[in-house]
Amino acid sequence: MQVDAIALAALAAMPDAAIALRSRRGYLPESPGNQALAEMLRRRPQDFGLVGGPIVLGAESLQWEADRVRGGGRLWVSGLECYDGFQRLVIMAHVARELPPPELVKAVLWVVVVTGEDRRRTRDLCDTADRCVSPAVPQDNLGSCPHLRAVR
């Protein structure tokens, strides 16, 4: 499905988004790639959704609520996890504080939501692909430490 940046920004707007979405790593604000993507979203929002693959999310359940008047609807998601695209989600959340909604609506991204038995396999595939493209550093593993999660 295609989703605009306004709807997606809300997913990562909270300070503990990496933990809440069970992301593989936290946001990397100093990354040159992330800085370039943020600048692209500010200057050319219509191009932002064309960069990178889809945002891949996992969910325990989905429920569609049709809006017969407008021909669309709302998708209610429970147990949301982010398998791929967390950096872009946080970039959208940060830039959403600066840009007016009509500009953010121009940024439309492909989103894949996986449910059921495919969630585990999809998470593993996304993690494997990420390790090939962006090797993990020790700080990436801190987010998965159960002791640090308990402290938070």
Side-chain angles (χ1 to χ4, degrees):
M1 75 182 106
Q2 291 183 306
V3 182
D4 66 54
I6 292 175
L8 291 171
L11 296 178
M14 59 219 146
D16 65 344
I19 294 169
L21 295 174
R22 298 188 61 216
S23 174
R24 183 171 178 269
R25 66 172 53 147
Y27 180 58
L28 305 171
E30 302 302 320
S31 159
N34 285 348
Q35 291 176 355
L37 285 172
E39 193 59 26
M40 176 187 288
L41 183 55
R42 288 183 192 100
R43 296 185 187 275
R44 300 185 332 263
Q46 67 279 3
D47 294 340
F48 184 76
L50 301 174
V51 177
I55 304 287
V56 182
L57 306 172
E60 287 177 15
S61 66
L62 302 173
Q63 182 179 359
W64 178 254
E65 181 180 300
D67 181 348
R68 289 176 173 60
V69 175
R70 296 183 191 170
R74 288 184 182 208
L75 181 64
W76 298 98
V77 181
S78 67
L80 191 65
E81 300 175 333
C82 182
Y83 301 155
D84 191 26
F86 181 74
Q87 303 300 312
R88 287 178 285 156
L89 289 176
V90 176
I91 288 168
M92 287 181 271
H94 289 177
V95 175
R97 298 176 195 140
E98 306 167 21
L99 286 181
E103 288 298 304
L104 281 176
V105 170
K106 294 177 185 176
V108 178
L109 292 91
W110 283 101
V111 177
V112 174
V113 181
V114 181
T115 59
E117 296 174 9
D118 290 333
R119 289 172 61 200
R120 179 76 170 164
R121 184 174 59 88
T122 302
R123 157 90 61 197
D124 291 344
L125 286 170
C126 287
D127 286 351
T128 299
D130 186 61
R131 281 190 293 275
C132 293
V133 174
S134 179
V137 295
Q139 76 181 39
D140 294 335
N141 296 323
L142 292 177
S144 61
C145 174
H147 303 293
L148 289 177
R149 281 190 185 159
V151 170
R152 289 186 189 186

